[in-house]
PDB file of all heavy atoms in Angstrom:
ATOM      1  N   VAL A  63      -7.745  -6.286 -21.239  1.00 90.00           N
ATOM      2  CA  VAL A  63      -7.681  -5.935 -19.825  1.00 90.00           C
ATOM      3  C   VAL A  63      -7.480  -4.412 -19.751  1.00 90.00           C
ATOM      4  O   VAL A  63      -6.970  -3.786 -20.692  1.00 90.00           O
ATOM      5  CB  VAL A  63      -6.533  -6.685 -19.089  1.00 90.00           C
ATOM      6  CG1 VAL A  63      -6.826  -8.156 -18.995  1.00 90.00           C
ATOM      7  CG2 VAL A  63      -5.199  -6.391 -19.751  1.00 90.00           C
ATOM      8  N   LEU A  64      -7.900  -3.860 -18.619  1.00 91.00           N
ATOM      9  CA  LEU A  64      -7.620  -2.436 -18.409  1.00 91.00           C
ATOM     10  C   LEU A  64      -7.535  -2.144 -16.924  1.00 91.00           C
ATOM     11  O   LEU A  64      -8.041  -2.883 -16.073  1.00 91.00           O
ATOM     12  CB  LEU A  64      -8.601  -1.546 -19.117  1.00 91.00           C
ATOM     13  CG  LEU A  64     -10.069  -1.424 -18.649  1.00 91.00           C
ATOM     14  CD1 LEU A  64     -10.222  -0.648 -17.378  1.00 91.00           C
ATOM     15  CD2 LEU A  64     -10.862  -0.769 -19.731  1.00 91.00           C
ATOM     16  N   ILE A  65      -6.857  -1.070 -16.620  1.00 93.00           N
ATOM     17  CA  ILE A  65      -6.748  -0.518 -15.294  1.00 93.00           C
ATOM     18  C   ILE A  65      -7.091   0.960 -15.332  1.00 93.00           C
ATOM     19  O   ILE A  65      -6.607   1.690 -16.153  1.00 93.00           O
ATOM     20  CB  ILE A  65      -5.321  -0.675 -14.693  1.00 93.00           C
ATOM     21  CG1 ILE A  65      -4.949  -2.146 -14.607  1.00 93.00           C
ATOM     22  CG2 ILE A  65      -5.220   0.007 -13.364  1.00 93.00           C
ATOM     23  CD1 ILE A  65      -3.469  -2.348 -14.223  1.00 93.00           C
ATOM     24  N   PHE A  66      -7.978   1.369 -14.392  1.00 92.00           N
ATOM     25  CA  PHE A  66      -8.239   2.777 -14.106  1.00 92.00           C
ATOM     26  C   PHE A  66      -7.493   3.029 -12.803  1.00 92.00           C
ATOM     27  O   PHE A  66      -7.695   2.285 -11.823  1.00 92.00           O
ATOM     28  CB  PHE A  66      -9.713   3.081 -13.911  1.00 92.00           C
ATOM     29  CG  PHE A  66     -10.547   3.002 -15.142  1.00 92.00           C
ATOM     30  CD1 PHE A  66     -11.433   1.963 -15.309  1.00 92.00           C
ATOM     31  CD2 PHE A  66     -10.484   4.013 -16.078  1.00 92.00           C
ATOM     32  CE1 PHE A  66     -12.220   1.896 -16.457  1.00 92.00           C
ATOM     33  CE2 PHE A  66     -11.291   3.973 -17.224  1.00 92.00           C
ATOM     34  CZ  PHE A  66     -12.172   2.911 -17.408  1.00 92.00           C
ATOM     35  N   ALA A  67      -6.640   4.065 -12.746  1.00 94.00           N
ATOM     36  CA  ALA A  67      -5.937   4.406 -11.512  1.00 94.00           C
ATOM     37  C   ALA A  67      -6.245   5.870 -11.161  1.00 94.00           C
ATOM     38  O   ALA A  67      -6.099   6.728 -12.042  1.00 94.00           O
ATOM     39  CB  ALA A  67      -4.448   4.237 -11.724  1.00 94.00           C
ATOM     40  N   ARG A  68      -6.692   6.063  -9.945  1.00 93.00           N
ATOM     41  CA  ARG A  68      -6.980   7.444  -9.521  1.00 93.00           C
ATOM     42  C   ARG A  68      -5.758   8.339  -9.690  1.00 93.00           C
ATOM     43  O   ARG A  68      -4.607   7.917  -9.406  1.00 93.00           O
ATOM     44  CB  ARG A  68      -7.493   7.412  -8.094  1.00 93.00           C
ATOM     45  CG  ARG A  68      -8.325   8.628  -7.701  1.00 93.00           C
ATOM     46  CD  ARG A  68      -8.920   8.514  -6.303  1.00 93.00           C
ATOM     47  NE  ARG A  68      -7.858   8.240  -5.365  1.00 93.00           N
ATOM     48  CZ  ARG A  68      -7.910   7.339  -4.382  1.00 93.00           C
ATOM     49  NH1 ARG A  68      -9.031   6.655  -4.204  1.00 93.00           N
ATOM     50  NH2 ARG A  68      -6.916   7.186  -3.571  1.00 93.00           N
ATOM     51  N   ASN A  69      -5.973   9.524 -10.205  1.00 94.00           N
ATOM     52  CA  ASN A  69      -4.835  10.409 -10.583  1.00 94.00           C
ATOM     53  C   ASN A  69      -3.884  10.694  -9.409  1.00 94.00           C
ATOM     54  O   ASN A  69      -2.689  10.866  -9.602  1.00 94.00           O
ATOM     55  CB  ASN A  69      -5.365  11.730 -11.139  1.00 94.00           C
ATOM     56  CG  ASN A  69      -5.908  11.515 -12.549  1.00 94.00           C
ATOM     57  OD1 ASN A  69      -5.666  10.533 -13.212  1.00 94.00           O
ATOM     58  ND2 ASN A  69      -6.766  12.478 -12.968  1.00 94.00           N
ATOM     59  N   ASP A  70      -4.389  10.707  -8.165  1.00 94.00           N
ATOM     60  CA  ASP A  70      -3.502  11.022  -7.028  1.00 94.00           C
ATOM     61  C   ASP A  70      -2.506   9.884  -6.720  1.00 94.00           C
ATOM     62  O   ASP A  70      -1.628  10.052  -5.927  1.00 94.00           O
ATOM     63  CB  ASP A  70      -4.275  11.425  -5.817  1.00 94.00           C
ATOM     64  CG  ASP A  70      -5.113  10.266  -5.216  1.00 94.00           C
ATOM     65  OD1 ASP A  70      -5.611   9.442  -6.001  1.00 94.00           O
ATOM     66  OD2 ASP A  70      -5.275  10.233  -4.002  1.00 94.00           O
ATOM     67  N   LEU A  71      -2.655   8.749  -7.411  1.00 96.00           N
ATOM     68  CA  LEU A  71      -1.721   7.638  -7.223  1.00 96.00           C
ATOM     69  C   LEU A  71      -0.509   7.730  -8.144  1.00 96.00           C
ATOM     70  O   LEU A  71       0.413   6.959  -8.055  1.00 96.00           O
ATOM     71  CB  LEU A  71      -2.447   6.284  -7.478  1.00 96.00           C
ATOM     72  CG  LEU A  71      -3.607   5.986  -6.543  1.00 96.00           C
ATOM     73  CD1 LEU A  71      -4.277   4.663  -6.972  1.00 96.00           C
ATOM     74  CD2 LEU A  71      -3.141   5.961  -5.090  1.00 96.00           C
ATOM     75  N   HIS A  72      -0.572   8.711  -9.068  1.00 97.00           N
ATOM     76  CA  HIS A  72       0.563   9.000  -9.967  1.00 97.00           C
ATOM     77  C   HIS A  72       1.017   7.705 -10.709  1.00 97.00           C
ATOM     78  O   HIS A  72       2.217   7.419 -10.767  1.00 97.00           O
ATOM     79  CB  HIS A  72       1.719   9.634  -9.242  1.00 97.00           C
ATOM     80  CG  HIS A  72       1.319  10.842  -8.433  1.00 97.00           C
ATOM     81  ND1 HIS A  72       0.941  12.032  -9.028  1.00 97.00           N
ATOM     82  CD2 HIS A  72       1.148  11.001  -7.126  1.00 97.00           C
ATOM     83  CE1 HIS A  72       0.594  12.904  -8.113  1.00 97.00           C
ATOM     84  NE2 HIS A  72       0.721  12.305  -6.924  1.00 97.00           N
ATOM     85  N   ALA A  73       0.074   6.979 -11.259  1.00 98.00           N
ATOM     86  CA  ALA A  73       0.398   5.711 -11.893  1.00 98.00           C
ATOM     87  C   ALA A  73       1.064   5.912 -13.270  1.00 98.00           C
ATOM     88  O   ALA A  73       0.700   6.833 -13.994  1.00 98.00           O
ATOM     89  CB  ALA A  73      -0.873   4.867 -12.044  1.00 98.00           C
TER      90      ALA A  73
END
Side-chain angles (χ1 to χ4, degrees):
V63 293
L64 69 74
I65 298 172
F66 290 107
R68 202 174 54 224
N69 289 341
D70 66 327
L71 299 177
H72 308 289

